Amino acid sequence: MISIIMGSSSDLKVMQGAIDVIKEFGVEHEVDIVSAHRTPMKMVEFAQNARKRGVQVIIAGAGGAAHLPGMVASCTSLPVIGVPVKSSNSIDGWDSVLSILQMPNGVPVATVALNASQNAGLLALQIIGSADAEMAKALDNYKEILKEKVAIMSQEVRA
């Protein structure tokens, strides 16, 4: 199972990309609002109990100071993928990118590009696919479809 969390409901529009790609692959997932600043105890409980609930990978989207991915990673040994969100209180998104990217040694957080939750979803699926042959095959097929789409676009551009 993949858990998708975000600091605020305003992040849902960005995080929808991860939700959609995970649904496309038919993987069980959960979505919740978990704020590092407004619900810190919920965040700690969420992170400490995620593995017991069957979570394999956590995707955490956050804007502004963007502490959620790092704080969750500090409370679990599960892989955490951070999605920096360009929010209304953001400094053009750079504060979120740097907050998630610049984690101290010992507390890794995989970080995707600003607002790139679809990539976070795909990375979570690839993490699962590293130990699941069916998922690996589905991802290989996905990559082939991407390659075919680019070939079609290339033909259209050259025509």
Side-chain angles (χ1 to χ4, degrees):
M1 176 171 45
I2 298 171
S3 185
I4 303 164
I5 59 173
M6 61 208 82
S8 171
S9 61
S10 63
D11 299 334
L12 183 58
K13 187 189 311 186
V14 169
M15 299 307 290
Q16 193 64 48
I19 296 165
D20 292 344
V21 76
I22 291 166
K23 282 182 179 177
E24 182 180 332
F25 280 81
V27 172
E28 184 181 356
H29 64 284
E30 63 182 16
V31 180
D32 201 359
I33 306 296
V34 180
S35 172
H37 301 110
R38 293 179 294 265
T39 61
M41 301 316 249
K42 177 182 179 179
M43 180 206 62
V44 170
E45 187 275 328
F46 162 84
Q48 290 178 340
N49 294 307
R51 187 182 303 276
K52 293 176 196 166
R53 293 192 335 275
V55 174
Q56 296 166 282
V57 183
I58 299 168
I59 299 172
H67 291 126
L68 182 61
M71 292 304 298
V72 167
S74 74
C75 297
T76 184
S77 60
L78 289 170
V80 176
I81 303 167
V83 178
V85 174
K86 183 178 178 182
S87 58
S88 61
N89 66 338
S90 179
I91 305 169
D92 215 24
W94 280 107
D95 47 346
S96 305
V97 170
L98 294 173
S99 181
I100 297 171
L101 185 66
Q102 291 296 106
M103 292 302 300
N105 286 330
V107 188
V109 173
T111 309
V112 297
L114 185 66
N115 290 348
S117 73
Q118 182 182 13
N119 276 350
L122 287 167
L123 181 56
L125 293 167
Q126 289 175 332
I127 290 168
I128 291 171
S130 69
D132 180 327
E134 268 187 56
M135 178 56 64
K137 177 74 172 146
L139 287 161
D140 288 341
N141 291 338
Y142 179 84
K143 298 279 184 165
E144 285 300 315
I145 291 167
L146 288 178
K147 189 170 26 172
E148 290 168 11
K149 286 180 180 179
V150 170
I152 290 168
M153 286 187 285
S154 179
Q155 287 175 349
E156 291 171 352
V157 168
R158 289 183 289 167

